[in-house]
Amino acid sequence: MMMPQDIDLILQEALLYGRSFLSRGKVADYIPELAKADPSHLGICLILPDGTTCRAGDWNVPFTMQSIAKTFSLILALQTVGYEKVFSKVGMEPTGDCFDSIVQLESKQLPPFNPMINAGAIVTVGCIDLPDPFEAFLDLVRRLCFHDAIRLNEQVYLSEKHSGLRNRSIAYLLQSDHILEGDPEQILDRYFRMCSVEVTTEDLARYALILANDGLDPVTGGQMIDEWIVRIVKTLMLTCGMYDESGEFAVKAGIPSKSGVGGGIVAAAEQGIGIATYGPVLNKKGNSIGGIHMLEYLSGKLNLHYFANKTCTSV
Ligand code: DON
């Protein structure tokens, strides 16, 4: 049985290991506001099922969720319109292409492959049938992260909206093929806002704790998300959550995870453990290079791989 101080030590080791890769990547600059992030930042937060919270490095630096928002919008779409409707509009298959790829839309491989790539997420956001989908999204994020002060980063949102030409192309292509229903500009505006919600690793680790415990919050005992929804979200995180690096990350870390170009990764680990990392330096695939390596390190140290031998739990 590990004590919190043992885990604190392992987090420090993970941090050192993660830092050794930072010179091999760079901060996202295709959204001008994101380019302002400090490349030396690296942090992690890990929460055990009893609520014990371990933090290391720059765990408290706020960052925008970016593609991590895709997990929340999928939850909201499944909650509001259900399985049949959502998966009539978006598939469940990994793409092997980059997150903002247009190639499959143009070659008529429709609907979009999965809700974790931009095309699939834009369709998913379009499915959310509520009077104010962004307010409902923000409310869900605040409830699942147990943090009422979570809010939109207005600068990042505006920067994203002004520079989002590729996403605009995706949305209009989807409209021309009758996949996207409704006004593309309105749906894109919601998508950009969702990406620009600001969190810390502790917020996301709290959310990951719920995912890791099949929707049940082990701290309060409340069922926060239906189990069937969590099963879908975690499966898509494992198979598609790290874009065209999902296969490699599944082999090496084996933790259902979702990254964002803001530098965050949310990870729902075995043994009911919630983890989130932050490090804005990205590798070529758009994943946090420090975050990926910290999670791989922790997976080995704490036996967190999805297909690890379950008889030797270490935490
Ligand atoms: O759609 C975009 O370009 C971003 N707002 C989100 C993409 C993203 O985070 C991809 N991540 N790795």
Side-chain angles (χ1 to χ4, degrees), residues 29-34 66 100 155-169 192:
D29 56 7
Y30 77 101
I31 299 169
E33 259 323 285
L34 294 185
Q66 298 302 328
D100 58 357
Q155 282 85 10
V156 173
Y157 156 63
L158 291 174
S159 185
E160 186 130 9
K161 194 175 165 93
H162 289 133
S163 59
L165 298 177
R166 230 181 140 75
N167 284 323
R168 220 160 257 122
S169 313
F192 293 138

Side-chain angles (χ1 to χ4, degrees), residues 63-74:
F63 57 93
T64 53
M65 285 205 279
Q66 298 302 328
S67 282
I68 294 168
K70 292 171 166 98
T71 64
F72 291 98
S73 50
L74 177 60

Side-chain angles (χ1 to χ4, degrees), residues 43-237:
I44 185 162
C45 178
L46 180 152
I47 309 184
L48 297 173
D50 67 358
T52 301
T53 304
C54 304
R55 311 161 179 94
D58 302 299
W59 64 273
N60 204 21
V61 171
F63 57 93
T64 53
M65 285 205 279
Q66 298 302 328
S67 282
I68 294 168
K70 292 171 166 98
T71 64
F72 291 98
S73 50
L74 177 60
I75 293 171
L76 199 53
L78 289 169
Q79 284 176 338
T80 52
V81 296
Y83 179 97
E84 298 295 335
K85 166 87 183 180
V86 170
F87 290 109
S88 70
K89 293 278 174 192
V90 64
M92 307 172 181
E93 297 299 337
T95 65
D97 288 319
C98 63
F99 63 85
D100 58 357
S101 174
I102 290 182
V103 65
Q104 282 150 346
L105 305 182
E106 185 50 8
S107 61
K108 303 286 180 216
Q109 295 180 63
L110 293 167
F113 273 53
N114 67 71
M116 301 292 156
I117 53 167
N118 289 11
I122 290 168
V123 169
T124 307
V125 171
C127 282
I128 301 169
D129 189 15
L130 290 170
D132 190 338
F134 177 68
E135 269 311 307
F137 171 91
L138 193 56
D139 182 58
L140 181 73
V141 172
R142 287 172 174 163
R143 274 188 290 122
L144 296 180
C145 296
F146 286 82
H147 189 176
D148 286 343
I150 290 176
R151 55 171 195 89
L152 178 75
N153 180 322
E154 197 77 27
Q155 282 85 10
V156 173
Y157 156 63
L158 291 174
S159 185
E160 186 130 9
K161 194 175 165 93
H162 289 133
S163 59
L165 298 177
R166 230 181 140 75
N167 284 323
R168 220 160 257 122
S169 313
I170 290 173
Y172 281 97
L173 268 174
L174 289 168
Q175 187 194 30
S176 76
D177 284 308
H178 312 290
I179 302 279
L180 194 66
E181 295 167 22
D183 174 11
E185 288 301 331
Q186 206 174 40
I187 295 167
L188 282 164
D189 186 71
R190 285 175 202 149
Y191 171 79
F192 293 138
R193 282 176 191 270
M194 291 173 183
C195 289
S196 306
V197 167
E198 197 166 70
V199 288
T200 66
T201 59
E202 185 160 350
D203 295 329
L204 290 182
R206 192 67 183 81
Y207 164 53
L209 181 71
I210 294 167
L211 294 179
N213 287 278
D214 307 315
L216 183 95
D217 179 39
V219 179
T220 61
Q223 187 74 36
M224 307 296 290
I225 318 168
D226 286 346
E227 193 270 337
W228 68 271
I229 293 181
V230 175
R231 194 182 327 155
I232 292 169
V233 173
K234 282 203 296 189
T235 307
L236 290 169
M237 284 165 72

